[in-house]
């Protein structure tokens, strides 16, 4: 556990989310924080300058991007140790979510500097909450690799993923990405593409992978802007499908037999795992032994 004896004298870093397209989405806490800190570390200072201009805020800006994050982190750490208060912002949405800042936050936590989140928009949550796909469990995959082979390699382990999968994609790779998805998940998997979230031309396109591909092929003028892709998870094997369950049960029994576990113990364990009666399981273990 990290703790500091004189935390009071140390500065704090506020991680501040900013709009993903609609200026109305800046929060009151974000504005107050950006006004009151001593400096703001920004992914692109020009970009943040125009955001601050629109908010009427005049602040000291420093860049923190993927090429200078390591070195910048040490400088910011020194400033925070003298008691200064800082903010971290990215170009849009929540910093660290496919944006710089991970190294900085990790290092500050190691050093016992307080890091305070100021929540706001993020494209992943914005897209999910209106897509109509299951949201009880999901996996965020960020951007897929640019090269087709690497993209397929990244997608293959997800072929049987049962959770909703969320991806970010740029317009010039959208069609290639959909093509790879069709290869790995088939034509019939349900897909929702959210485009230009919170902006004037916001759009949700949903259907099977094949239908979504057809839509964007016919409407190539819509292949522009920013995209979040959400893919339905694979169907969970239903418990009523007795055949699948029995096959899985056999597999479990075989694994346990290989471990040389006693028949009685295996039956008890399988009964507990599957909720089935012990006697027929006992018989099956004897058959497979
Ligand atoms: N930090 C950001 C967040 O919290 O969502 C993400 C930054 S990432 C570099 C940029 C990608 O996020 C875009 O290529 C797009 O996939 C997605 N994105 C950002 N804003 C979006 C929007 N308004 N509509 C759809 N997707 C968006």
């Amino acid at each position: 556990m990290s703790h500091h004896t004189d935390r009071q004298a140390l500065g704090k870093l506020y991680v501040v989310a900013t709009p993903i397209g609609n200026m109305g989405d800046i929060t009151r806490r974000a504005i107050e924080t950006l006004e009151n800190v001593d400096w703001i570390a920004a992914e692109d200072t020009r970009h943040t300058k125009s955001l601050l201009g629109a908010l009427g805020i005049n602040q000291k800006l420093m860049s923190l991007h993927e090429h200078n994050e390591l070195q910048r982190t040490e400088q910011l750490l020194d400033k925070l140790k003298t008691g200064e208060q800082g903010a971290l912002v990215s170009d849009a949405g929540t910093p660290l979510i496919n944006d710089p800042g991970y190294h900085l936050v990790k290092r500050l936590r190691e050093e016992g500097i307080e890091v305070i989140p100021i929540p706001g928009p993020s494209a992943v949550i914005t897209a999910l909450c209106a897509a109509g796909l299951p949201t009880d469990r999901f996996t965020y995959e960020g951007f897929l690799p640019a090269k087709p082979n690497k993209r397929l390699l990244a997608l293959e382990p997800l072929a049987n993923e049962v959770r909703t999968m969320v991806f970010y994609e740029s317009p010039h790779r959208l069609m290639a990405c959909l093509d790879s998805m069709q290869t790995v998940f088939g034509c019939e998997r349900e897909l929702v593409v959210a485009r230009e979230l919170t902006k004037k031309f916001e759009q949700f396109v949903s259907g099977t992978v094949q239908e979504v591909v057809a839509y964007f092929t016919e409407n190539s003028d819509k292949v522009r802007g920013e995209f979040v892709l959400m893919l339905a998870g694979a169907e969970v094997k239903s418990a009523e499908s007795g055949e699948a369950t029995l096959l899985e049960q056999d597999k479990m029994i075989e694994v346990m037999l290989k471990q040389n576990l006693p028949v009685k113990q295996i039956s008890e364990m399988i009964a507990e795992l599957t909720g089935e009666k012990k006697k027929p399981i006992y018989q099956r273990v004897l058959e497979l032994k």
Side-chain angles (χ1 to χ4, degrees):
M1 208 180 120
S2 69
H3 51 91
H4 233 274
T5 42
D6 194 11
R7 220 165 142 125
Q8 245 50 31
L10 298 171
K12 294 182 174 95
L13 180 84
Y14 295 87
V15 179
V16 182
T18 58
I20 56 169
N22 190 324
M23 272 300 291
D25 294 332
I26 188 90
T27 68
R28 266 155 64 176
R29 265 185 98 201
I31 297 172
E32 280 163 21
T33 307
L34 295 175
E35 267 169 351
N36 294 332
V37 288
D38 296 305
W39 44 261
I40 300 172
E43 182 182 8
D44 178 340
T45 52
R46 277 173 314 172
H47 189 104
T48 300
K49 206 171 184 157
S50 73
L51 169 79
L52 295 178
L55 296 170
I57 298 173
N58 193 11
Q59 261 294 7
K60 190 174 162 202
L61 286 169
M62 275 170 289
S63 69
L64 181 133
H65 44 71
E66 57 175 322
H67 304 294
N68 74 354
E69 185 169 350
L70 292 188
Q71 160 214 354
R72 189 62 103 199
T73 289
E74 298 310 310
Q75 293 167 352
L76 298 181
L77 177 60
D78 288 344
K79 286 178 181 295
L80 293 161
K81 278 184 172 168
T82 68
E84 288 185 12
Q85 314 283 314
L88 172 71
V89 298
S90 60
D91 286 354
T94 302
L96 279 83
I97 308 303
N98 267 103
D99 272 339
Y102 163 67
H103 180 77
L104 174 68
V105 170
K106 182 171 180 285
R107 183 90 176 87
L108 297 188
R109 286 220 166 261
E110 281 166 7
E111 291 289 322
I113 306 269
E114 211 175 329
V115 181
I116 300 167
I118 306 293
S122 186
V124 44
I125 300 298
T126 309
L128 267 176
C129 75
L133 288 174
T135 51
D136 50 344
R137 296 174 74 205
F138 63 87
T139 143
Y140 171 66
E141 298 293 324
F143 287 95
L144 286 165
K147 297 224 169 79
N149 282 348
K150 287 200 174 158
R151 191 162 53 231
L152 288 171
L153 279 177
L155 286 176
E156 257 145 31
L158 296 171
N160 297 316
E161 173 59 65
V162 295
R163 295 169 290 184
T164 298
M165 289 155 271
V166 187
F167 305 87
Y168 281 177
E169 198 45 276
S170 67
H172 64 279
R173 275 207 279 275
L174 177 75
M175 297 313 285
C177 174
L178 293 178
D179 188 58
S180 301
M181 286 183 171
Q182 199 156 328
T183 306
V184 174
F185 302 94
C187 300
E188 298 304 318
R189 188 69 76 86
E190 204 183 336
L191 176 71
V192 181
V193 174
R195 179 180 159 249
E196 293 290 84
L197 290 162
T198 75
K199 303 183 204 175
K200 189 171 173 200
F201 296 108
E202 178 177 276
Q203 186 185 16
F204 283 78
V205 179
S206 55
T208 62
V209 176
Q210 195 172 27
E211 285 164 353
V212 173
V213 168
Y215 175 85
F216 282 108
T217 308
E218 281 157 29
N219 300 275
S220 52
D221 58 313
K222 299 289 191 321
V223 187
R224 62 163 78 146
E226 298 190 279
F227 293 89
V228 179
L229 278 60
M230 290 158 286
L231 197 62
E235 268 177 46
V236 184
K237 275 189 209 138
S238 103
E240 292 112 60
S241 129
E243 213 167 304
T245 323
L246 282 179
L247 269 175
E248 276 161 17
Q249 186 173 302
D250 281 358
K251 262 190 228 148
M252 286 194 274
I253 294 173
E254 274 159 15
V255 171
M256 291 181 187
L257 282 171
K258 269 198 199 131
Q259 305 290 316
N260 289 323
L261 293 176
V263 175
K264 188 161 173 266
Q265 195 184 341
I266 295 179
S267 322
E268 281 166 5
M269 283 161 80
I270 301 279
E272 194 163 332
L273 285 168
T274 59
E276 301 291 329
K277 290 211 173 73
K278 240 181 285 173
K279 212 169 162 194
I281 297 174
Y282 189 86
Q283 287 305 324
R284 186 67 186 149
V285 181
L286 285 179
E287 279 167 30
L288 291 174
K289 203 174 168 200

